[in-house]
């Protein structure tokens, strides 16, 4: 009888599981599905999938063929470390990519098999079989522990091949999931930094009761223009201001998109019931605005910030007088 | 495919009339519900009738609790202001939320010719100013 | 193209009468709120939904709105699809142009909704109906 031949049905089923988990980004789901697939499609009736954590311990994550009590017990058990596994992952136990540890060689902590074995079984209830999960770079990222072969035989290189292929796909999925998470965290961080820079570069200052000033400096792109519009409107609403002065002395050039955002801002400020005054339009910007056909009738413009402030005070019913007069 | 149970969004839409309050020579219309199109059109008619009945010179429509103005409601508000104008009354829209203003502008509606004010108080000052100018 | 989207959750709302336009836009705002869209994006979404749901009610009488939380290229978005089996739009280019209107609204319905959303696709066949697929993405 040759039991070492590859079972193609098993192979196909396990590969299809491996392909389906590669898109999965949740580590827990990956491990659970692999553990269940092992029990469902291979001859092994119990499996535990563990992930190597940054602190060097192996966290048991996926469980197949185990009762809830057994799972709880396993989760409470002290996590083993890769350091402890060193004497197990040695060449003398190696079968293919896996490691088979007969019970009389090394004593390991684990769940006792509750099944009775007939004496002619090769597999002993306290035997262990581990398939390490290797990343593409050759690092161990986790481990699948399998137990209770239905035929009671010792594992062979060929017989383990389908499970090892699944293990490789599992390792790739775990790596993929971790990279995705890292990338997402980096993106969130980047976004936060961008936000801070944007807020710093668009300060809306309250210079007097009901008068806001926004000194714009530097290049304004579309997303910054949008941010400016939102900031101005929210600040007007919060402070119940009547006028906002946008000083663009520090803006060298303005393109169509930014000009249209500026016009939109003026229109939205009007809808809230406040006025906009634009100051400090330089010759280049004036040329651009006219060439773009921007209708400036709707917009109040003043030569410079101080003239703008005078006009704003006028709108709010205030005047500036000299002490002498 | 995942599916969640339908959010209980069928919270009752109040099918009542929007109240129109008369204070001195002004009408104040606080819109407090999310109106469907029929109710908005009804409100337009009610405001115009009330202007006629009370000889009002000014109307303040307070939309500070309205979280959305789409093109239909925008048109109703604009039309109401112009129609009231024909009846010699001024309309001020008060308290538009910043998010609503941005969305309206992006939608392409500037509500040209409609008076706006930050809040009820500013709206009353604006109306007094406008009516003084008319009297002069 | 649709296969790129992974649907996390979905629901649908039937548009049968005028009130359903309000029900629908309120429901969409709740979804947007739950997804943590900022207040301005919530308002953009609600307004676009109001325009497009009204179109269903006005031109086709009835139809349905599908609301989906989707994921694509690591971004999450709110996808809202408006389906009716009404008369369809004979001239899509005209319908998408500014200022065009049949009666209600100010002719800002379709082009306005397009500006408020990040994605906008209109399919229509005369006599068969119209489907408008829109999506708004959460900032990265």
């Amino acid at each position: 009888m040759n039991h070492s031949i590859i079972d193609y049905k098993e192979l196909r089923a396990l590969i299809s599981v491996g392909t389906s988990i590669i898109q999965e980004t949740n580590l827990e789901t990956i491990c659970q599905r692999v553990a269940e697939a092992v029990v469902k499609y291979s001859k092994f009736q119990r499996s535990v999938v563990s992930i190597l954590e940054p602190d060097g311990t192996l966290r048991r994550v996926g469980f197949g063929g185990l009762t809830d009590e057994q799972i709880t017990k396993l989760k409470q058990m002290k996590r083993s470390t890769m350091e402890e596994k060193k004497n197990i992952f040695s060449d003398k136990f190696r079968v293919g990519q896996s490691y088979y540890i007969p019970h009389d060689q090394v004593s390991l902590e684990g769940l006792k098999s509750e099944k009775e074995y007939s004496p002619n079984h090769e597999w002993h209830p306290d035997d262990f079989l581990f398939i390490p999960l290797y990343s593409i770079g050759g690092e161990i990222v986790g481990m699948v522990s399998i137990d209770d072969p239905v035929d009671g035989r010792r594992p062979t290189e060929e017989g383990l091949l389908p499970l090892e292929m699944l293990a490789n796909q599992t390792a790739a999925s775990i790596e993929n999931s971790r990279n995705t998470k890292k990338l997402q965290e980096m993106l969130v961080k980047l976004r936060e930094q961008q936000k801070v820079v944007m807020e710093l570069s668009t300060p809306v200052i309250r210079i007097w009761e009901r008068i806001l000033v926004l000194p714009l400096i530097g290049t304004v792109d579309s997303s910054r223009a949008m941010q400016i519009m939102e900031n101005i409107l929210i600040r007007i609403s919060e402070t119940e201001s009547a006028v906002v002065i946008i000083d663009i002395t520090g803006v060298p050039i303005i393109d169509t998109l930014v000009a249209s955002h500026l016009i939109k801002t003026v229109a939205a400020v009007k809808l809230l019931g406040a006025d906009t005054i634009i100051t400090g339009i330089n010759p280049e910007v004036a040329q651009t605005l006219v060439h773009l056909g921007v209708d400036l009738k709707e917009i109040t413009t003043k030569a410079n910030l101080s003239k703008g402030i005078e006009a704003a005070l006028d709108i709010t019913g205030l005047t500036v007088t000299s002490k002498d007069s | 495919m995942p599916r969640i149970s339908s959010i209980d969004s069928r919270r009752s839409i109040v099918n009542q009339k929007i109240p129109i309050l008369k204070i001195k020579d002004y009408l104040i219309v606080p819109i407090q519900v999310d109106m469907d199109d029929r109710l908005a059109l009804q409100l337009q008619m009610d405001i115009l009738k009330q202007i006629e009945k009370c000889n009002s010179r000014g109307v303040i429509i307070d939309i500070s609790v309205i979280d959305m103005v789409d093109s239909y409601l925008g048109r109703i508000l604009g039309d109401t202001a112009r129609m009231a104008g024909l009846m010699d009354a001024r309309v001020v829209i008060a308290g538009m939320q910043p998010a609503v203003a941005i969305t309206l502008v992006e939608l392409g509606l500037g509500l040209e010719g409609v008076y706006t004010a930050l809040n009820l108080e500013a709206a009353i000052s604006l109306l007094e100013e406008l009516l003084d100018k008319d009297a002069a | 193209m649709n296969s790129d989207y992974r649907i996390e959750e979905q629901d649908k709302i039937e548009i049968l009468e005028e009130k359903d336009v309000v029900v629908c836009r309120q429901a969409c705002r709740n979804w947007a709120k739950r997804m943590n869209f900022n207040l301005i994006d919530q308002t953009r979404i609600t307004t676009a939904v109001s325009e497009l749901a009204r179109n269903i009610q006005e031109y086709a009488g009835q139809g349905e709105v599908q609301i989906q939380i989707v994921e694509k290229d690591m971004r999450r978005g709110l996808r809202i699809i408006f389906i009716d089996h009404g008369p369809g739009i004979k001239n899509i280019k005209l319908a998408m142009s500014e200022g065009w209107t049949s009666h209600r609204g100010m002719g800002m319905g379709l082009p306005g909704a397009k500006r408020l959303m990040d994605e906008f696709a209109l399919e229509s066949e005369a006599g068969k109906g119209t489907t408008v697929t829109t999506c708004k993405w959460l900032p990265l």
Side-chain angles (χ1 to χ4, degrees), chain A residues 33-59:
Chain A
R33 277 168 64 183
V34 169
E36 283 167 11
V38 169
V39 173
K40 189 167 173 194
Y41 300 115
S42 82
K43 63 176 185 174
F44 294 92
Q45 301 172 85
R46 301 202 308 187
S47 74
V48 177
V49 180
S50 311
I51 290 177
L52 182 62
E53 293 294 340
D55 65 0
T57 61
L58 283 156
R59 181 164 66 99

Side-chain angles (χ1 to χ4, degrees), chain B:
Chain B
M1 207 165 279
R3 198 187 145 80
I4 61 151
S5 62
S6 175
I7 295 172
D8 185 23
S9 55
R10 284 193 175 262
R11 71 173 122 130
S12 62
I13 298 154
V14 190
N15 205 1
Q16 69 194 17
K17 278 190 172 184
I18 308 290
I20 300 177
L21 317 170
K22 184 178 178 295
I23 295 170
K24 286 202 269 181
D25 287 342
Y26 308 134
L27 297 179
I28 296 177
V29 189
I31 304 178
Q32 309 266 2
V33 293
D34 195 351
M35 299 185 291
D36 67 7
D37 294 358
R38 209 184 303 258
L39 191 55
L41 196 60
Q42 179 67 47
L43 177 64
Q44 179 179 74
M45 201 60 225
D46 290 349
I47 289 174
L48 297 176
K49 278 184 180 159
Q50 207 62 20
I51 290 172
E52 188 191 28
K53 195 177 143 198
C54 305
N55 269 322
S56 303
R57 302 289 320 278
V59 181
I60 298 166
I61 304 177
D62 181 359
I63 60 164
S64 54
V65 298
I66 293 296
D67 60 12
M68 182 228 62
V69 174
D70 62 6
S71 66
Y72 183 74
L73 186 53
R75 178 181 161 181
I76 291 280
L77 291 174
D79 284 355
T80 306
R82 279 184 287 274
M83 292 164 182
L86 293 174
M87 298 169 68
D88 200 23
R90 307 281 192 156
V91 174
V92 177
I93 310 277
M96 187 184 291
Q97 292 178 13
V100 173
I102 292 175
T103 307
L104 259 184
V105 167
E106 284 174 350
L107 200 57
L109 286 174
L111 295 188
E112 282 79 10
V114 175
Y115 295 100
T116 49
L118 283 164
N119 48 41
L120 213 56
E121 204 186 332
I124 292 174
S125 314
L126 178 60
L127 268 183
E128 278 169 354
E129 200 183 302
L130 289 169
L131 296 177
D132 278 355
K133 228 183 263 174
D134 285 353

Side-chain angles (χ1 to χ4, degrees), chain A residues 122-178:
Chain A
E122 297 171 357
W123 180 281
H124 185 275
D126 295 334
D127 286 357
F128 279 89
L129 181 55
F130 298 119
I131 310 175
L133 301 172
Y134 291 106
S135 72
I136 293 160
E139 303 276 313
I140 289 182
V141 296
M143 184 184 87
V144 184
S145 166
I146 50 181
D147 206 345
D148 282 351
V150 74
D151 59 3
R153 296 199 179 269
R154 293 190 170 198
T156 63
E157 209 170 319
E158 292 91 340
L160 286 174
L161 212 58
L163 282 175
E164 287 173 356
M165 291 181 83
L166 175 65
N168 290 339
Q169 280 168 308
T170 308
S173 302
I174 290 170
E175 223 188 349
N176 189 30
S177 152
R178 283 191 163 155

